[in-house]
Amino acid sequence: MAPRLDSGARKRAILDAALPLFARKGFAATTTREIAQAAGVSEALIFKHFPSKASLYEAIFLSCIDGDPEYERLVALPPGTGTLVQMIQGLVNYFVIEVPSDPDERARHRLSIISLLEDGEFMRQVYEGIRSRFLPCFAASIAAAVACGDLAPGPIDAENGLWLAEHLCGMMATVCLSGGTVVPYPCGRPELARQTVWFILRGLGLRDDIIAARECGSKNDNPTPERPE
């Protein structure tokens, strides 16, 4: 007899079963009956853990954030220039390194594209989740960097800065959904990620010497190994 799963394990099994179905068929075409069959549970059990199909859809996307120790570490940092740099480095690393190299992450990212091709409601929920989780720390770090002279204030407000950075990185992940690189970048992905961090931080107004110093410190503290294309 198979061991009985606890509540957390059942939720995880449902999410794992729903991910490839949503990624392949989209939100509207995927039924809770199909998800229940794939997860080996009843539809009633799905609704016990997730009040609606939309809440299940959202939970799949946010599962890569909630409970993630790296996310929890970042948002617990005190606002400042270093925190701003680390948040951008984390954003870029996820979309430019992790998503292209991980089939499950590509499937999760594919959900966002499907949602935008449908009614967009799922992505509205996801973006609101990102806004509530990341924006307070991000905006406070922008303000702290301005106050200490590390960042020159410009016409881009903090919230739009976050969205523009996310949109750039999201598109860089989108062009890798086939499992290969469509764009002929003239460098490997770690170097591409490094240049993307510079591009975003410069756009936000951070001084070049500050970016270089923080980049050097990051390499010394947590070197990123080269990954094959």
Side-chain angles (χ1 to χ4, degrees):
M1 179 180 295
R4 183 179 179 83
L5 299 178
D6 62 24
S7 177
R10 282 197 297 268
K11 289 182 68 174
R12 182 71 260 170
I14 293 168
L15 292 174
D16 289 344
L19 173 58
L21 288 171
F22 280 136
R24 186 174 69 252
K25 301 183 64 175
F27 177 72
T30 301
T31 67
T32 53
R33 176 175 294 181
E34 290 175 309
I35 296 170
Q37 289 175 344
V41 300
S42 66
E43 283 187 88
L45 185 61
I46 289 179
F47 287 115
K48 178 180 178 181
H49 292 290
F50 303 99
S52 65
K53 190 169 71 169
S55 68
L56 171 58
Y57 203 29
E58 182 183 16
I60 292 172
F61 211 96
L62 295 181
S63 65
C64 67
I65 298 176
D66 294 337
D68 183 340
E70 177 61 11
Y71 157 73
E72 293 176 355
R73 184 188 70 81
L74 285 174
V75 297
L77 293 172
T81 302
T83 298
L84 174 64
V85 171
Q86 289 189 57
M87 292 186 81
I88 294 301
Q89 288 172 335
L91 179 72
V92 170
N93 186 69
Y94 174 69
F95 282 111
V96 179
I97 300 293
E98 295 179 17
V99 172
S101 65
D102 187 331
D104 287 341
E105 292 297 341
R106 290 201 303 273
R108 184 177 285 108
H109 186 64
R110 191 172 284 108
L111 294 181
S112 66
I113 307 304
I114 291 174
S115 171
L116 294 173
L117 292 173
E118 295 180 336
D119 64 3
E121 180 58 32
F122 166 60
M123 284 308 294
R124 275 191 286 273
Q125 295 180 38
V126 169
Y127 283 137
E128 186 54 43
I130 293 172
R131 184 177 186 273
S132 66
R133 288 163 171 79
F134 283 100
L135 182 60
C137 183
F138 183 83
S141 293
I142 290 279
V146 170
C148 71
D150 289 343
L151 189 149
I156 303 171
D157 62 51
E159 183 165 359
N160 278 338
L162 175 62
W163 293 132
L164 291 171
E166 191 277 340
H167 296 343
L168 169 62
C169 294
M171 188 61 200
M172 293 176 74
T174 300
V175 298
C176 296
L177 286 181
S178 65
T181 299
V182 176
V183 180
Y185 296 116
C187 59
R189 299 208 72 80
E191 174 59 19
L192 178 63
R194 187 185 76 84
Q195 292 185 25
T196 305
V197 168
W198 271 83
F199 186 87
I200 294 171
L201 291 175
R202 273 182 164 178
L204 292 172
L206 204 62
R207 288 169 23 207
D208 280 5
D209 61 315
I210 300 297
I211 301 173
R214 296 289 178 177
E215 178 183 59
C216 182
S218 174
K219 286 180 178 178
N220 291 333
D221 293 341
N222 187 24
T224 301
E226 288 285 325
R227 298 192 183 192
E229 285 294 303

